[in-house]
Amino acid sequence: METSTEGVAQPADADAAQADPPSAAEPTTTAAPATAERPTTTPGAAAGAPAATASPEAEAQPGAETKPEAEAPRPVAIPPASLSPSRAGDFMQCPLLYRFRVIDRLPEKPSEAATRGTLVHAVLERLFDAPAAERTAPRAKSLVPGQWGRLRETRPEVVDLFADDPEGERLARWLGEAEQLVERWFTLEDPTRLEPVERELFVEAVLDSGLKLRGIIDRVDVAPTGEVRIVDYKTGKAPRPEYAEGALFQMKFYALVVWRLKNVVPRRLQLVYLGSGDVLTYDPVLADLERVERKLHALWEAIREATETGDWRPRPTKLCGWCDHQAHCPEFGGTPPPYPLPVRGAGQDPVGGPGLVPRAEQAVPVRAAESGGAPQGRMGPD
């Protein structure tokens, strides 16, 4: 990890919803490289593609909805078995959205914003394949067309984004915006001074309670002294200061997984906002990770309760405008699909099992992380 002189950037006064929403402390200890077995992937696959070992609950297949009479068989529903930052964020934002994505696995159309995020992540990952001296902005921008081609091969559905653009003008503008985001990164970090230990690192840990946590970390840097820095790229704008805590939830989630895997508390968590040119950093301590663990236990208990009772309530926010599932949402006059899992009868005790946390451990109330503006992120599970 290079010695950072960036400090904690002041977020721009722009709304930015966190794809993975919602603990202050001083720097901590020395760390060893954070490593975990990377899932098997097809060589050359675009960054952001689903990890081969990712659990089925995260793999909602994008695509246009079909009419009921022509509807293909729905995938077999399985109860949630693990938690990622994105799915935790879904539940805190709207429990019904979590159900649609994880249990019903309703199809979702790709968006330009999420696809652009995937493309930019792929370019920044691939740039580190080049020798340090060749990691320049022109070279990075030159990777954009090739990575877009790979993305179209691995995610054919993204081609439909520009189906109504026969002259290619909108596509050219969209690719130009991706190039601008890539170029802005060079004003925030110097890749010639970085040698990441890991890129697009899949991590998974099982807590003592049985709850499985998983995710994909964009970059892991390790200093010569052994200190670990976890870095995540965001293609949107930095949140306003009042939303910074929610933005850090995803990073503390990753830090918790690294701590449980390696018994190492990362020295620094860093969010790089390419949309606004800001860098948000935070130095966690053990107490932070313990608080996040308690919060996740409480969150998982709420998910378990909703799974067993079938009670998934919508939580309207400004983000509803970007939701693909309004046709199924009662808030918009829609009807959810028939619930595909068994429902616990009234008065029955909950069924125990792996990953189910005793009610006594509900130490932290579950509350949706608030944010303003449009969602940002990339395609695929984390």
Side-chain angles (χ1 to χ4, degrees):
M1 177 176 73
E2 67 174 353
T3 303
S4 173
T5 57
E6 291 151 348
V8 179
Q10 291 300 318
D13 188 18
D15 292 337
Q18 299 311 307
D20 303 311
S23 324
E26 53 225 293
T28 91
T29 63
T30 331
T35 56
E37 201 170 321
R38 186 187 296 269
T40 304
T41 55
T42 306
T53 57
S55 63
E57 83 238 33
E59 296 178 10
Q61 298 301 319
E65 289 194 35
T66 56
K67 295 180 180 179
E69 60 268 23
E71 195 170 307
R74 289 172 60 196
V76 177
I78 358 182
S82 62
L83 198 58
S84 71
S86 292
R87 299 295 76 83
D90 286 346
F91 188 85
M92 289 186 286
Q93 176 187 323
C94 174
L96 187 58
L97 173 64
Y98 178 97
R99 177 200 148 169
F100 287 158
R101 285 180 166 168
V102 174
I103 294 177
D104 297 297
R105 286 184 278 169
L106 297 182
E108 295 185 354
K109 297 176 182 178
S111 71
E112 289 188 20
T115 307
R116 183 169 50 236
T118 300
L119 175 59
V120 170
H121 277 76
V123 170
L124 299 186
E125 181 189 8
R126 291 277 71 85
L127 182 65
F128 285 103
D129 291 341
E134 298 177 22
R135 297 171 195 159
T136 63
R139 181 185 182 96
K141 290 167 64 177
S142 74
L143 295 174
V144 170
Q147 291 304 316
W148 170 234
R150 287 178 183 274
L151 188 55
R152 285 180 297 172
E153 291 175 5
T154 57
R155 301 286 185 89
E157 67 273 11
V158 303
V159 177
D160 293 338
L161 285 171
F162 303 101
D164 59 349
D165 182 37
E167 302 301 320
E169 293 179 2
R170 192 157 54 87
L171 173 59
R173 186 167 57 251
W174 181 83
L175 289 171
E177 291 167 352
E179 290 179 356
Q180 290 172 9
L181 293 171
V182 168
E183 191 169 31
R184 183 172 289 147
W185 177 57
F186 287 82
T187 69
L188 305 174
E189 295 191 288
D190 181 1
T192 66
R193 298 177 57 206
L194 295 169
E195 290 298 339
V197 169
E198 297 287 352
R199 291 170 275 155
E200 295 293 314
L201 174 66
F202 178 83
V203 289
E204 186 176 272
V206 179
L207 304 182
D208 292 342
S209 65
L211 172 57
K212 181 187 293 184
L213 305 179
R214 56 177 178 76
I216 296 177
I217 301 174
D218 288 347
R219 200 179 83 216
V220 178
D221 301 331
V222 179
T225 55
E227 294 173 308
V228 171
R229 177 170 65 185
I230 296 176
V231 181
D232 194 78
Y233 309 118
K234 299 292 184 187
T235 49
K237 296 178 180 180
R240 298 199 302 260
E242 60 265 36
Y243 298 127
E245 185 63 28
L248 285 168
F249 170 76
Q250 172 190 9
M251 304 305 287
K252 292 177 182 179
F253 185 110
Y254 292 147
L256 170 62
V257 175
V258 169
W259 171 49
R260 285 305 190 186
L261 280 174
K262 297 295 177 182
N263 199 28
V264 162
V265 176
R267 171 66 174 79
R268 172 153 293 182
L269 310 177
Q270 182 165 303
L271 282 161
V272 181
Y273 287 94
L274 304 176
S276 57
D278 294 296
V279 176
L280 177 63
T281 62
Y282 183 78
D283 297 344
V285 294
L286 185 57
D288 290 329
L289 309 188
E290 292 172 337
R291 280 192 292 270
V292 171
E293 187 170 72
R294 291 195 298 271
K295 182 180 184 71
L296 292 175
H297 278 149
L299 183 65
W300 189 246
E301 169 67 13
I303 291 172
R304 183 191 69 90
E305 182 72 14
T307 302
E308 292 185 352
T309 62
D311 185 8
W312 301 91
R313 301 185 184 186
R315 182 178 290 135
T317 68
K318 289 184 288 185
L319 296 177
C320 290
W322 284 273
C323 183
D324 274 356
H325 307 302
Q326 292 182 11
H328 295 289
C329 179
E331 292 294 323
F332 293 87
T335 303
Y339 191 56
L341 294 175
V343 176
R344 189 178 79 222
Q348 284 186 306
D349 290 331
V351 180
L356 305 185
V357 183
R359 297 181 188 275
E361 294 188 25
Q362 297 182 58
V364 182
V366 176
R367 187 171 64 85
E370 297 179 357
S371 54
Q376 60 179 327
R378 50 183 162 144
M379 298 160 42
D382 55 3

